[in-house]
Structure formats: C-alpha cells, structure tokens
Amino acid sequence: MSESTVVVFGDQPPVHLDRVAGRAKVLVCDENSLPQALPTADVLLVWDFTSDAVRGAWPGEGPRPAWVHTASAGVDRLLCPELVASDTVLTNARGVFEQPIAEYVAGLVVAMAKDFHGSWELQRQRRWQHRETMRLAGTRAVVVGAGPIGRAIGSTLAALGVVVELVGRTARQGVRGGDELPELLPSADWVVSAAPLTDANRGMFDRAVFDRMKPSARFINIGRGPLVVEKDLTAALVARRIAGAALDVFEHEPLASDDPLWDVPGLFVSPHMSGDTVGWRDHLADQFQDNYERWCAGEPLLNIVDKRLGYVPVD
C-alpha cells in the first residue's frame, strides 16, 4: 500500500501515534480546518469525540475517508445521512471503556446503598448519628443496554449479589426485549441506562418510566445524555417519587454553572468521566494503531459499527 493520509481531528491533549507516524502522513486538524482536510484523508481518527464537527463537515459527493475511527463507544455525534449512506467503514472504541464504566456504576450503587454521602455530610457537621443502610445483595437491577458496557455492568453488579436483568432492543438469550421494560421497572431497586443513542430511544427515560419505579429506587445514566428527559427526572426527584439518581452524561455538555441540575435534591452529578481511568488515552491510541495495522495488511477491521443501527452488533 502506498503512503496513506491519516487525519486526526482534535489533538488536545495530544495523541501519540508512533506506529502510524512512520507509515503514513499524519495531519492534525481542528473544527476550522476539518472541512478542507476530510477529502484528503484515507483514514480519519476522531480524537475529539465530544464535537459534532465531523457530522457538519462530512463531504457529500467526491473524495472522503475510506475508514473513520472514533475514540469513543458512542457514534451519534458522527452519524449523518451522507456518512450512513457512504461506503466508509466506521469503527469505535469498544473494549476500552466497558470495565471502567462498570466499576463506576458499581461504586455509585454501593455509595447510594451505604449512604456514603450522608456519612460525609454528618462528618462535616461533626455529628455522630448511627444509621442503618441497605443490604446490596438480593436487590434487583435493570440494566438497559445489552451491549458490552451493559453486560460488564451486569456482571459486576452480579458479583455484589445484585439480581440483574439486561434489557436490549430485542429479546435473546439472557436479554429481555425493550417491550418488557415497563413490567420490570416496579420491582427494580436500580435502573441503569447504558444504551446507545438512536432516534428510536431518544428521551426513553421519561415521566412514564420514573412513575413506574418504586419510591426507594435509584436511577443511573452512563449511556448518553439525550436518553433522559431531564425535566422529568428532576420532577421525580423533587417530588420524591424515586429515592435518588446519578447522571454522568447530559443533554448539553459541559453542564453550565447555572444549570438547575446542580441543585436537584438526591442527584449526583459527574462530568462524563465514568470510563476515564488513568492511561485511558494511551489505550485508545493503541487500539487505533492495532486496527490501523490490520487496515494496512488488508485484514478485517475490529469494532465495525452498523451505521444504520448506530452501534457494533453483539453476537
């Protein structure tokens, strides 16, 4: 193969592509230079996966990258009709974030069950107040999203003794179908959103869902922000129709300092960090370079996204 051109969109902090640099021409671009760079690219690495710029700059007719890789699990910020219809192959970062996110969710579940927040607040007040907390083993969790992240969450919670129901788009072995979610909600102590964002499930966690949850239940979203109707979640927490919630992703990011979500009672807010552990950027760079070597060798790429579904199909 002749020297290829790899365009890297977003390089703050810098991505180290030592194995690619010696074999390809590597161009780094930002939102302003992306439209000019895209037609020259054989491969596009979307390092800044928080931006919508690729979707806006994607060329309709004419030259375009043969392969696009995003350093994220979600691909909703990239997909546009032109990209979906093209023969460009799209891959994602499946395999990097699953276990860190599962650990993060497990940490939230333990912290809520054991009322760590209450203990820290009482410590701040120098108050000795004995309390009883929830026994985690035997509680029930409904994890919505049966892909690799949802499965990792399920197995990690199961190791803590939680009874887990996985819910996917369609029913299959070990997975309940999405149409079964309403009947699972009333018995759930934990409802975890780990689904990809598609047109079909945007806003799926709305008042109807929160109304079906029991008052002692908690809700956690580490999937995508627009899966949740935030005003409906806020109303459920303010009215104490559910006991608590944690959001790591939001409809608009970063969350503005004056956003009312910061002050919602019973809501834990974190800045889209559930999958980001020490060294995660190096793992992302290595994953891309491994796949690049497969591409150069003419071998099938890993983590190919079904662009019409919006995720990597699970066997």
Side-chain angles (χ1 to χ4, degrees):
M1 176 183 290
S2 60
E3 183 183 57
S4 56
T5 298
V6 176
V7 171
V8 179
F9 167 58
D11 197 32
Q12 296 295 328
V15 54
H16 302 291
L17 302 176
D18 299 339
R19 285 186 279 151
V20 173
R23 307 173 65 176
K25 180 181 180 181
V26 178
L27 301 176
V28 178
C29 67
D30 57 17
E31 292 191 3
N32 293 327
S33 56
L34 180 63
Q36 292 73 40
L38 270 177
T40 72
D42 297 295
V43 179
L44 173 65
L45 168 59
V46 183
W47 192 248
D48 181 3
F49 52 82
T50 65
S51 172
D52 296 322
V54 173
R55 187 168 55 200
W58 189 259
E61 300 296 331
R64 64 181 69 88
W67 167 35
V68 173
H69 177 81
T70 180
S72 62
V75 298
D76 52 279
R77 287 187 176 274
L78 303 178
L79 292 180
C80 59
E82 294 81 7
L83 174 55
V84 172
S86 74
D87 56 2
T88 297
V89 177
L90 175 62
T91 60
N92 73 353
R94 174 179 173 179
V96 173
F97 297 108
E98 286 86 334
Q99 193 54 38
I101 291 176
E103 293 169 2
Y104 197 89
V105 171
L108 288 171
V109 167
V110 171
M112 290 177 176
K114 302 305 177 184
D115 191 28
F116 287 166
H117 175 78
S119 293
W120 288 326
E121 178 59 23
L122 288 168
Q123 178 181 342
R124 188 186 67 81
Q125 298 176 20
R126 298 175 178 262
R127 292 174 55 195
W128 183 276
Q129 182 177 320
H130 181 269
R131 284 129 43 241
E132 295 177 346
T133 61
M134 179 189 297
R135 180 173 178 173
L136 196 55
T139 60
R140 305 184 69 85
V142 172
V143 180
V144 182
I149 292 175
R151 290 176 181 272
I153 292 170
S155 60
T156 302
L157 292 180
L160 297 172
V162 178
V163 179
V164 178
E165 294 278 8
L166 278 177
V167 177
R169 187 171 62 93
T170 57
R172 53 189 182 274
Q173 183 67 35
V175 178
R176 308 288 288 269
D179 58 341
E180 300 178 77
L181 179 60
E183 69 186 58
L184 297 173
L185 291 171
S187 62
D189 299 289
W190 317 96
V191 176
V192 182
S193 164
L197 178 62
T198 66
D199 289 338
N201 64 16
R202 185 180 296 270
M204 68 177 296
F205 295 99
D206 57 8
R207 176 169 182 168
V209 168
F210 300 127
D211 282 351
R212 292 191 68 84
M213 293 168 59
K214 57 187 179 181
S216 60
R218 273 93 167 186
F219 173 76
I220 297 171
N221 185 23
I222 50 75
R224 307 300 283 176
L227 293 170
V228 178
V229 180
E230 292 172 349
K231 65 180 179 60
D232 290 355
L233 175 61
T234 296
L237 289 167
V238 169
R240 298 187 178 179
R241 296 199 302 271
I242 61 174
L247 298 179
D248 185 56
V249 288
F250 302 85
E251 185 170 1
H252 302 290
E253 297 182 9
L255 198 64
S257 61
D258 60 349
D259 195 294
L261 286 172
W262 291 107
D263 299 315
V264 174
L267 177 62
F268 180 86
V269 170
S270 58
H272 204 150
M273 58 180 282
S274 61
D276 302 346
T277 53
V278 175
W280 66 288
R281 293 182 179 89
D282 293 333
H283 295 317
L284 289 170
D286 287 341
Q287 181 189 58
F288 170 73
Q289 292 181 111
D290 289 344
N291 233 4
Y292 179 78
E293 291 179 352
R294 298 177 68 91
W295 188 72
C296 289
E299 299 175 359
L301 295 174
L302 302 178
N303 296 353
I304 294 179
V305 173
D306 184 322
K307 293 182 291 184
R308 299 194 180 277
L309 292 177
Y311 52 85
V312 179
V314 178
D315 297 333

PDB file of all heavy atoms in Angstrom, residues 165-193:
ATOM      1  N   GLU A 165     -31.250  -7.866  35.510  1.00  0.00           N
ATOM      2  CA  GLU A 165     -31.987  -8.104  34.268  1.00  0.00           C
ATOM      3  C   GLU A 165     -31.403  -7.188  33.202  1.00  0.00           C
ATOM      4  O   GLU A 165     -31.386  -5.967  33.365  1.00  0.00           O
ATOM      5  CB  GLU A 165     -33.477  -7.810  34.432  1.00  0.00           C
ATOM      6  CG  GLU A 165     -34.214  -8.739  35.374  1.00  0.00           C
ATOM      7  CD  GLU A 165     -34.624 -10.049  34.696  1.00  0.00           C
ATOM      8  OE1 GLU A 165     -34.202 -10.285  33.544  1.00  0.00           O
ATOM      9  OE2 GLU A 165     -35.369 -10.806  35.330  1.00  0.00           O
ATOM     10  N   LEU A 166     -30.896  -7.775  32.106  1.00  0.00           N
ATOM     11  CA  LEU A 166     -30.420  -6.995  30.971  1.00  0.00           C
ATOM     12  C   LEU A 166     -31.568  -6.773  29.992  1.00  0.00           C
ATOM     13  O   LEU A 166     -32.304  -7.705  29.685  1.00  0.00           O
ATOM     14  CB  LEU A 166     -29.289  -7.724  30.258  1.00  0.00           C
ATOM     15  CG  LEU A 166     -27.874  -7.615  30.827  1.00  0.00           C
ATOM     16  CD1 LEU A 166     -26.929  -8.480  29.992  1.00  0.00           C
ATOM     17  CD2 LEU A 166     -27.394  -6.176  30.847  1.00  0.00           C
ATOM     18  N   VAL A 167     -31.687  -5.550  29.504  1.00  0.00           N
ATOM     19  CA  VAL A 167     -32.737  -5.224  28.547  1.00  0.00           C
ATOM     20  C   VAL A 167     -32.079  -4.692  27.283  1.00  0.00           C
ATOM     21  O   VAL A 167     -31.271  -3.759  27.329  1.00  0.00           O
ATOM     22  CB  VAL A 167     -33.707  -4.167  29.113  1.00  0.00           C
ATOM     23  CG1 VAL A 167     -34.749  -3.777  28.068  1.00  0.00           C
ATOM     24  CG2 VAL A 167     -34.383  -4.695  30.371  1.00  0.00           C
ATOM     25  N   GLY A 168     -32.399  -5.315  26.145  1.00  0.00           N
ATOM     26  CA  GLY A 168     -31.871  -4.883  24.859  1.00  0.00           C
ATOM     27  C   GLY A 168     -32.966  -4.455  23.916  1.00  0.00           C
ATOM     28  O   GLY A 168     -34.163  -4.452  24.270  1.00  0.00           O
ATOM     29  N   ARG A 169     -32.581  -4.126  22.706  1.00  0.00           N
ATOM     30  CA  ARG A 169     -33.564  -3.702  21.710  1.00  0.00           C
ATOM     31  C   ARG A 169     -34.533  -4.842  21.412  1.00  0.00           C
ATOM     32  O   ARG A 169     -35.738  -4.633  21.282  1.00  0.00           O
ATOM     33  CB  ARG A 169     -32.836  -3.251  20.431  1.00  0.00           C
ATOM     34  CG  ARG A 169     -33.719  -2.638  19.367  1.00  0.00           C
ATOM     35  CD  ARG A 169     -32.878  -2.029  18.262  1.00  0.00           C
ATOM     36  NE  ARG A 169     -32.082  -3.037  17.589  1.00  0.00           N
ATOM     37  CZ  ARG A 169     -32.468  -3.683  16.487  1.00  0.00           C
ATOM     38  NH1 ARG A 169     -33.637  -3.408  15.940  1.00  0.00           N
ATOM     39  NH2 ARG A 169     -31.692  -4.579  15.931  1.00  0.00           N
ATOM     40  N   THR A 170     -33.988  -6.066  21.308  1.00  0.00           N
ATOM     41  CA  THR A 170     -34.809  -7.247  21.068  1.00  0.00           C
ATOM     42  C   THR A 170     -34.423  -8.336  22.057  1.00  0.00           C
ATOM     43  O   THR A 170     -33.292  -8.372  22.558  1.00  0.00           O
ATOM     44  CB  THR A 170     -34.627  -7.774  19.633  1.00  0.00           C
ATOM     45  OG1 THR A 170     -33.230  -8.051  19.407  1.00  0.00           O
ATOM     46  CG2 THR A 170     -35.101  -6.746  18.613  1.00  0.00           C
ATOM     47  N   ALA A 171     -35.346  -9.224  22.333  1.00  0.00           N
ATOM     48  CA  ALA A 171     -35.091 -10.321  23.268  1.00  0.00           C
ATOM     49  C   ALA A 171     -34.180 -11.362  22.622  1.00  0.00           C
ATOM     50  O   ALA A 171     -34.264 -11.637  21.425  1.00  0.00           O
ATOM     51  CB  ALA A 171     -36.405 -10.958  23.698  1.00  0.00           C
ATOM     52  N   ARG A 172     -33.285 -11.919  23.426  1.00  0.00           N
ATOM     53  CA  ARG A 172     -32.439 -13.025  23.003  1.00  0.00           C
ATOM     54  C   ARG A 172     -31.958 -13.735  24.259  1.00  0.00           C
ATOM     55  O   ARG A 172     -32.380 -13.390  25.368  1.00  0.00           O
ATOM     56  CB  ARG A 172     -31.259 -12.529  22.155  1.00  0.00           C
ATOM     57  CG  ARG A 172     -30.418 -11.426  22.783  1.00  0.00           C
ATOM     58  CD  ARG A 172     -29.423 -10.880  21.764  1.00  0.00           C
ATOM     59  NE  ARG A 172     -28.551  -9.858  22.312  1.00  0.00           N
ATOM     60  CZ  ARG A 172     -28.846  -8.579  22.370  1.00  0.00           C
ATOM     61  NH1 ARG A 172     -30.024  -8.151  21.929  1.00  0.00           N
ATOM     62  NH2 ARG A 172     -27.992  -7.707  22.878  1.00  0.00           N
ATOM     63  N   GLN A 173     -31.085 -14.712  24.096  1.00  0.00           N
ATOM     64  CA  GLN A 173     -30.637 -15.486  25.238  1.00  0.00           C
ATOM     65  C   GLN A 173     -30.041 -14.580  26.323  1.00  0.00           C
ATOM     66  O   GLN A 173     -29.070 -13.869  26.089  1.00  0.00           O
ATOM     67  CB  GLN A 173     -29.566 -16.500  24.794  1.00  0.00           C
ATOM     68  CG  GLN A 173     -29.067 -17.412  25.895  1.00  0.00           C
ATOM     69  CD  GLN A 173     -30.137 -18.372  26.394  1.00  0.00           C
ATOM     70  OE1 GLN A 173     -30.973 -18.829  25.620  1.00  0.00           O
ATOM     71  NE2 GLN A 173     -30.125 -18.671  27.666  1.00  0.00           N
ATOM     72  N   GLY A 174     -30.640 -14.599  27.501  1.00  0.00           N
ATOM     73  CA  GLY A 174     -30.128 -13.811  28.614  1.00  0.00           C
ATOM     74  C   GLY A 174     -30.471 -12.340  28.571  1.00  0.00           C
ATOM     75  O   GLY A 174     -30.008 -11.578  29.425  1.00  0.00           O
ATOM     76  N   VAL A 175     -31.257 -11.910  27.581  1.00  0.00           N
ATOM     77  CA  VAL A 175     -31.589 -10.493  27.431  1.00  0.00           C
ATOM     78  C   VAL A 175     -33.091 -10.348  27.232  1.00  0.00           C
ATOM     79  O   VAL A 175     -33.694 -11.036  26.401  1.00  0.00           O
ATOM     80  CB  VAL A 175     -30.849  -9.873  26.226  1.00  0.00           C
ATOM     81  CG1 VAL A 175     -31.241  -8.412  26.043  1.00  0.00           C
ATOM     82  CG2 VAL A 175     -29.349 -10.002  26.398  1.00  0.00           C
ATOM     83  N   ARG A 176     -33.695  -9.440  27.994  1.00  0.00           N
ATOM     84  CA  ARG A 176     -35.111  -9.145  27.821  1.00  0.00           C
ATOM     85  C   ARG A 176     -35.286  -8.090  26.740  1.00  0.00           C
ATOM     86  O   ARG A 176     -34.432  -7.218  26.552  1.00  0.00           O
ATOM     87  CB  ARG A 176     -35.702  -8.646  29.147  1.00  0.00           C
ATOM     88  CG  ARG A 176     -35.430  -9.539  30.353  1.00  0.00           C
ATOM     89  CD  ARG A 176     -36.227 -10.830  30.312  1.00  0.00           C
ATOM     90  NE  ARG A 176     -37.628 -10.579  30.574  1.00  0.00           N
ATOM     91  CZ  ARG A 176     -38.174 -10.609  31.800  1.00  0.00           C
ATOM     92  NH1 ARG A 176     -37.423 -10.850  32.872  1.00  0.00           N
ATOM     93  NH2 ARG A 176     -39.474 -10.403  31.950  1.00  0.00           N
ATOM     94  N   GLY A 177     -36.384  -8.144  26.034  1.00  0.00           N
ATOM     95  CA  GLY A 177     -36.668  -7.169  24.988  1.00  0.00           C
ATOM     96  C   GLY A 177     -37.112  -5.841  25.554  1.00  0.00           C
ATOM     97  O   GLY A 177     -37.616  -5.749  26.693  1.00  0.00           O
ATOM     98  N   GLY A 178     -36.948  -4.787  24.776  1.00  0.00           N
ATOM     99  CA  GLY A 178     -37.323  -3.454  25.230  1.00  0.00           C
ATOM    100  C   GLY A 178     -38.784  -3.328  25.588  1.00  0.00           C
ATOM    101  O   GLY A 178     -39.157  -2.533  26.461  1.00  0.00           O
ATOM    102  N   ASP A 179     -39.649  -4.129  24.942  1.00  0.00           N
ATOM    103  CA  ASP A 179     -41.074  -4.058  25.254  1.00  0.00           C
ATOM    104  C   ASP A 179     -41.399  -4.627  26.627  1.00  0.00           C
ATOM    105  O   ASP A 179     -42.502  -4.433  27.140  1.00  0.00           O
ATOM    106  CB  ASP A 179     -41.879  -4.794  24.186  1.00  0.00           C
ATOM    107  CG  ASP A 179     -41.464  -6.265  24.039  1.00  0.00           C
ATOM    108  OD1 ASP A 179     -40.351  -6.625  24.469  1.00  0.00           O
ATOM    109  OD2 ASP A 179     -42.253  -7.047  23.486  1.00  0.00           O
ATOM    110  N   GLU A 180     -40.423  -5.301  27.253  1.00  0.00           N
ATOM    111  CA  GLU A 180     -40.625  -5.863  28.588  1.00  0.00           C
ATOM    112  C   GLU A 180     -40.207  -4.910  29.705  1.00  0.00           C
ATOM    113  O   GLU A 180     -40.428  -5.198  30.884  1.00  0.00           O
ATOM    114  CB  GLU A 180     -39.846  -7.179  28.733  1.00  0.00           C
ATOM    115  CG  GLU A 180     -40.252  -8.261  27.743  1.00  0.00           C
ATOM    116  CD  GLU A 180     -39.416  -9.525  27.907  1.00  0.00           C
ATOM    117  OE1 GLU A 180     -39.668 -10.292  28.861  1.00  0.00           O
ATOM    118  OE2 GLU A 180     -38.496  -9.732  27.079  1.00  0.00           O
ATOM    119  N   LEU A 181     -39.590  -3.785  29.347  1.00  0.00           N
ATOM    120  CA  LEU A 181     -39.088  -2.865  30.368  1.00  0.00           C
ATOM    121  C   LEU A 181     -40.174  -2.392  31.335  1.00  0.00           C
ATOM    122  O   LEU A 181     -39.945  -2.385  32.555  1.00  0.00           O
ATOM    123  CB  LEU A 181     -38.406  -1.665  29.697  1.00  0.00           C
ATOM    124  CG  LEU A 181     -37.850  -0.587  30.637  1.00  0.00           C
ATOM    125  CD1 LEU A 181     -36.801  -1.170  31.575  1.00  0.00           C
ATOM    126  CD2 LEU A 181     -37.267   0.573  29.827  1.00  0.00           C
ATOM    127  N   PRO A 182     -41.366  -1.988  30.863  1.00  0.00           N
ATOM    128  CA  PRO A 182     -42.368  -1.498  31.817  1.00  0.00           C
ATOM    129  C   PRO A 182     -42.700  -2.488  32.936  1.00  0.00           C
ATOM    130  O   PRO A 182     -42.911  -2.077  34.081  1.00  0.00           O
ATOM    131  CB  PRO A 182     -43.591  -1.232  30.925  1.00  0.00           C
ATOM    132  CG  PRO A 182     -43.011  -0.925  29.588  1.00  0.00           C
ATOM    133  CD  PRO A 182     -41.829  -1.843  29.463  1.00  0.00           C
ATOM    134  N   GLU A 183     -42.731  -3.786  32.624  1.00  0.00           N
ATOM    135  CA  GLU A 183     -43.072  -4.767  33.657  1.00  0.00           C
ATOM    136  C   GLU A 183     -41.913  -5.044  34.612  1.00  0.00           C
ATOM    137  O   GLU A 183     -42.122  -5.560  35.716  1.00  0.00           O
ATOM    138  CB  GLU A 183     -43.514  -6.082  33.014  1.00  0.00           C
ATOM    139  CG  GLU A 183     -42.414  -6.852  32.314  1.00  0.00           C
ATOM    140  CD  GLU A 183     -42.927  -8.069  31.576  1.00  0.00           C
ATOM    141  OE1 GLU A 183     -43.794  -7.909  30.696  1.00  0.00           O
ATOM    142  OE2 GLU A 183     -42.447  -9.179  31.885  1.00  0.00           O
ATOM    143  N   LEU A 184     -40.686  -4.681  34.220  1.00  0.00           N
ATOM    144  CA  LEU A 184     -39.521  -4.893  35.075  1.00  0.00           C
ATOM    145  C   LEU A 184     -39.291  -3.737  36.042  1.00  0.00           C
ATOM    146  O   LEU A 184     -38.690  -3.915  37.105  1.00  0.00           O
ATOM    147  CB  LEU A 184     -38.262  -5.078  34.216  1.00  0.00           C
ATOM    148  CG  LEU A 184     -38.236  -6.290  33.291  1.00  0.00           C
ATOM    149  CD1 LEU A 184     -37.000  -6.234  32.387  1.00  0.00           C
ATOM    150  CD2 LEU A 184     -38.236  -7.587  34.092  1.00  0.00           C
ATOM    151  N   LEU A 185     -39.740  -2.543  35.690  1.00  0.00           N
ATOM    152  CA  LEU A 185     -39.433  -1.350  36.481  1.00  0.00           C
ATOM    153  C   LEU A 185     -39.977  -1.380  37.905  1.00  0.00           C
ATOM    154  O   LEU A 185     -39.264  -0.988  38.840  1.00  0.00           O
ATOM    155  CB  LEU A 185     -39.953  -0.104  35.761  1.00  0.00           C
ATOM    156  CG  LEU A 185     -39.219   0.278  34.470  1.00  0.00           C
ATOM    157  CD1 LEU A 185     -39.958   1.388  33.742  1.00  0.00           C
ATOM    158  CD2 LEU A 185     -37.785   0.708  34.773  1.00  0.00           C
ATOM    159  N   PRO A 186     -41.211  -1.830  38.161  1.00  0.00           N
ATOM    160  CA  PRO A 186     -41.744  -1.724  39.515  1.00  0.00           C
ATOM    161  C   PRO A 186     -40.969  -2.519  40.570  1.00  0.00           C
ATOM    162  O   PRO A 186     -41.029  -2.179  41.753  1.00  0.00           O
ATOM    163  CB  PRO A 186     -43.180  -2.263  39.369  1.00  0.00           C
ATOM    164  CG  PRO A 186     -43.532  -2.013  37.942  1.00  0.00           C
ATOM    165  CD  PRO A 186     -42.260  -2.268  37.200  1.00  0.00           C
ATOM    166  N   SER A 187     -40.241  -3.559  40.171  1.00  0.00           N
ATOM    167  CA  SER A 187     -39.505  -4.365  41.144  1.00  0.00           C
ATOM    168  C   SER A 187     -38.028  -4.009  41.209  1.00  0.00           C
ATOM    169  O   SER A 187     -37.272  -4.608  41.983  1.00  0.00           O
ATOM    170  CB  SER A 187     -39.645  -5.854  40.815  1.00  0.00           C
ATOM    171  OG  SER A 187     -39.088  -6.139  39.538  1.00  0.00           O
ATOM    172  N   ALA A 188     -37.582  -3.025  40.427  1.00  0.00           N
ATOM    173  CA  ALA A 188     -36.164  -2.685  40.355  1.00  0.00           C
ATOM    174  C   ALA A 188     -35.761  -1.737  41.478  1.00  0.00           C
ATOM    175  O   ALA A 188     -36.448  -0.754  41.760  1.00  0.00           O
ATOM    176  CB  ALA A 188     -35.842  -2.052  39.005  1.00  0.00           C
ATOM    177  N   ASP A 189     -34.635  -2.043  42.117  1.00  0.00           N
ATOM    178  CA  ASP A 189     -34.031  -1.118  43.073  1.00  0.00           C
ATOM    179  C   ASP A 189     -33.075  -0.157  42.370  1.00  0.00           C
ATOM    180  O   ASP A 189     -32.839   0.947  42.861  1.00  0.00           O
ATOM    181  CB  ASP A 189     -33.271  -1.903  44.138  1.00  0.00           C
ATOM    182  CG  ASP A 189     -34.180  -2.822  44.932  1.00  0.00           C
ATOM    183  OD1 ASP A 189     -34.985  -2.316  45.721  1.00  0.00           O
ATOM    184  OD2 ASP A 189     -34.089  -4.062  44.736  1.00  0.00           O
ATOM    185  N   TRP A 190     -32.527  -0.616  41.243  1.00  0.00           N
ATOM    186  CA  TRP A 190     -31.572   0.169  40.469  1.00  0.00           C
ATOM    187  C   TRP A 190     -31.962   0.091  38.993  1.00  0.00           C
ATOM    188  O   TRP A 190     -32.158  -1.006  38.468  1.00  0.00           O
ATOM    189  CB  TRP A 190     -30.148  -0.369  40.638  1.00  0.00           C
ATOM    190  CG  TRP A 190     -29.808  -0.720  42.049  1.00  0.00           C
ATOM    191  CD1 TRP A 190     -29.878  -1.957  42.632  1.00  0.00           C
ATOM    192  CD2 TRP A 190     -29.389   0.179  43.077  1.00  0.00           C
ATOM    193  NE1 TRP A 190     -29.522  -1.887  43.951  1.00  0.00           N
ATOM    194  CE2 TRP A 190     -29.202  -0.587  44.262  1.00  0.00           C
ATOM    195  CE3 TRP A 190     -29.130   1.553  43.118  1.00  0.00           C
ATOM    196  CZ2 TRP A 190     -28.780  -0.026  45.450  1.00  0.00           C
ATOM    197  CZ3 TRP A 190     -28.714   2.114  44.304  1.00  0.00           C
ATOM    198  CH2 TRP A 190     -28.551   1.331  45.452  1.00  0.00           C
ATOM    199  N   VAL A 191     -32.070   1.215  38.342  1.00  0.00           N
ATOM    200  CA  VAL A 191     -32.305   1.248  36.899  1.00  0.00           C
ATOM    201  C   VAL A 191     -31.110   1.970  36.281  1.00  0.00           C
ATOM    202  O   VAL A 191     -30.835   3.126  36.605  1.00  0.00           O
ATOM    203  CB  VAL A 191     -33.614   1.975  36.539  1.00  0.00           C
ATOM    204  CG1 VAL A 191     -33.775   2.063  35.023  1.00  0.00           C
ATOM    205  CG2 VAL A 191     -34.804   1.259  37.168  1.00  0.00           C
ATOM    206  N   VAL A 192     -30.391   1.262  35.425  1.00  0.00           N
ATOM    207  CA  VAL A 192     -29.150   1.786  34.847  1.00  0.00           C
ATOM    208  C   VAL A 192     -29.318   1.938  33.343  1.00  0.00           C
ATOM    209  O   VAL A 192     -29.660   0.979  32.648  1.00  0.00           O
ATOM    210  CB  VAL A 192     -27.956   0.861  35.149  1.00  0.00           C
ATOM    211  CG1 VAL A 192     -26.671   1.467  34.585  1.00  0.00           C
ATOM    212  CG2 VAL A 192     -27.822   0.610  36.653  1.00  0.00           C
ATOM    213  N   SER A 193     -29.071   3.137  32.851  1.00  0.00           N
ATOM    214  CA  SER A 193     -29.134   3.421  31.417  1.00  0.00           C
ATOM    215  C   SER A 193     -27.744   3.271  30.818  1.00  0.00           C
ATOM    216  O   SER A 193     -26.827   4.036  31.138  1.00  0.00           O
ATOM    217  CB  SER A 193     -29.657   4.837  31.181  1.00  0.00           C
ATOM    218  OG  SER A 193     -29.387   5.257  29.859  1.00  0.00           O
TER     219      SER A 193
END
